[in-house]
Amino acid sequence: MMADVIAVVLLLAVAAYSCGGGTDYGAGFWDLTAGGAERGKRPRWLIDHAMAPVWEVNNVWLVFVLVIMWTGFPVLFQTVFSAMWLPLALAAVGMVLRGAGFALRKPSRRLAGRRLYGAVFAVSSLLTPFFLGAAAGGIASGRVAPGTPAAQDAWSNPTSLLFGLLAVAATALLGAVFLAADARRFDAPDLDRYFRGRALGALAAVAVLAVVTLFVTHDDAPHVWRGLTRGVGLVFVVLAAVATLATAGLLLRPSGSWSRVTGVTAVASAVTAWGMAQRPYLIPTSLTVAEGAGAAGTLRWLGVVTLVAVLLVFPAIALLYWLDTRGELESLTDADLRRRGAGDQG
């Protein structure tokens, strides 16, 4: 029973990282496609201002996922990281380079340096979600199992490729939706229209890829396909579809914050549908939740840690997001510092 509870916690943490971290990766995608220095100046300005207060905190969800996998389901952790070490290593390198590129781009005074760091940030934002999605596709298709050696087929199969592309498209959707909302907060109607248009394009890509993925899993990941077309999995598939249509309707006009709610609901529901479709397996059809679970005492302590996080960490993160969406976390500019310095002298 406790193993099932912790498995649900793991799934929810993956969904949270898909939405929180996915929004940041999506911002990097639009940074990459913004165009040259002059054409992409204003979109990149918005990306810098929107991401700066909260971009680092989304890694909390990834740390939470890794801790639960490592301690709660050690066989799953060992199997996944042994069989698919290459895509996961590439994703990890991408995370490091992405953070470094974003942190160093803005303070760099040379144009060549800003371009270099910006390119590192943007390209890493594209590759990292792709490789994470490809690894998830390897799990869904059952190509990894306890004792499986590392092999290219584990993450370069049709399901993995589509999961990777779907991850990129979903992050692009979330990034554009949130950037459009931030454009309204910064009173930039031109950027609002700019990112709403791109969000609609990303939404169309997500819808097409989702349908193609559903058809491909029929033969390539039959257990997941059955789970997605019946029971709880189907419920979340329908919820994701409804949220997608609602997001499309809201994006056709300035929609306040509701497009963010529906966009997050669509992505979170899709991730949850995948997890529910795999039941009772962690890895279809070779490792069940019960078989992969750690010691009973470890699972109980993970439950305690989760409860503490719900009571302490999650409200703090929610407060951070709330402050950011209301413009309470704007960084000081050079002009602000000069004004304060002059005031102190007086």
Side-chain angles (χ1 to χ4, degrees):
M1 178 64 180
M2 182 56 70
D4 292 329
V5 172
I6 300 302
V8 171
V9 172
L10 175 60
L11 177 59
L12 293 177
V14 171
Y17 183 65
S18 299
C19 296
T23 301
D24 286 345
Y25 292 128
F29 177 90
W30 297 118
D31 189 286
L32 179 66
T33 58
E38 189 61 33
R39 179 185 173 189
K41 183 177 180 179
R42 279 180 56 74
R44 292 190 177 102
W45 167 85
L46 180 62
I47 290 169
D48 284 342
H49 280 72
M51 288 182 60
V54 298
W55 68 282
E56 188 70 33
V57 75
N58 289 312
N59 289 325
V60 169
W61 304 115
L62 179 60
V63 172
F64 200 49
V65 168
L66 294 176
V67 168
I68 293 177
M69 283 185 64
W70 184 21
T71 57
F73 303 100
V75 178
L76 172 66
F77 186 91
Q78 179 185 13
T79 301
V80 170
F81 279 81
S82 296
M84 295 187 288
W85 68 268
L86 181 56
L88 293 173
L90 291 173
V93 170
M95 292 175 196
V96 174
L97 293 178
R98 181 178 178 277
F102 181 76
L104 295 173
R105 176 175 67 175
K106 193 173 183 179
S108 180
R109 297 191 176 276
R110 291 187 176 185
L111 178 61
R114 289 198 298 272
R115 286 178 173 174
L116 173 62
Y117 295 132
V120 169
F121 162 69
V123 173
S124 298
S125 298
L126 177 67
L127 296 179
T128 299
F130 175 80
F131 285 119
L132 290 176
I139 296 172
S141 61
R143 283 180 166 83
V144 296
T148 299
Q152 183 178 352
D153 181 63
W155 58 276
S156 61
N157 53 80
T159 299
S160 289
L161 177 61
L162 284 168
F163 268 48
L165 293 176
L166 192 55
V168 172
T171 58
L173 166 64
L174 290 174
V177 166
F178 274 75
L179 287 168
D182 281 322
R184 292 189 289 276
R185 175 159 62 92
F186 288 111
D187 195 22
D190 60 321
L191 291 177
D192 177 25
R193 292 190 297 271
Y194 176 92
F195 281 111
R196 279 194 291 118
R198 279 151 180 76
L200 285 169
L203 191 65
V206 168
V208 171
L209 286 169
V211 173
V212 173
T213 300
L214 190 60
F215 279 103
V216 168
T217 56
H218 181 274
D219 295 320
D220 201 52
H223 180 83
V224 170
W225 181 83
R226 287 192 295 271
L228 291 173
T229 54
R230 65 192 68 178
V232 179
L234 178 58
V235 171
F236 281 99
V237 168
V238 172
L239 180 59
V242 171
T244 299
L245 292 175
T247 304
L250 291 169
L251 288 172
L252 292 174
R253 62 186 188 280
S255 54
S257 61
W258 286 108
S259 59
R260 290 181 292 185
V261 174
T262 57
V264 166
T265 301
V267 174
S269 297
V271 173
T272 305
W274 161 52
M276 290 293 132
Q278 291 194 171
R279 294 183 309 160
Y281 295 100
L282 293 169
I283 302 176
T285 52
S286 60
L287 183 67
T288 66
V289 172
E291 292 169 345
T298 301
L299 295 177
R300 284 195 295 270
W301 276 109
L302 276 176
V304 172
V305 170
T306 300
L307 181 60
V308 171
V310 169
L311 295 176
L312 298 179
V313 179
F314 296 168
I317 294 176
L319 176 61
L320 178 64
Y321 285 138
W322 185 83
L323 291 173
D324 177 53
T325 55
R326 281 154 180 77
E328 301 291 337
L329 302 177
E330 294 300 314
S331 58
L332 292 176
T333 64
D334 292 340
D336 293 327
L337 294 174
R338 284 194 292 269
R339 283 197 299 269
R340 292 192 177 196
D344 291 341
Q345 293 174 1

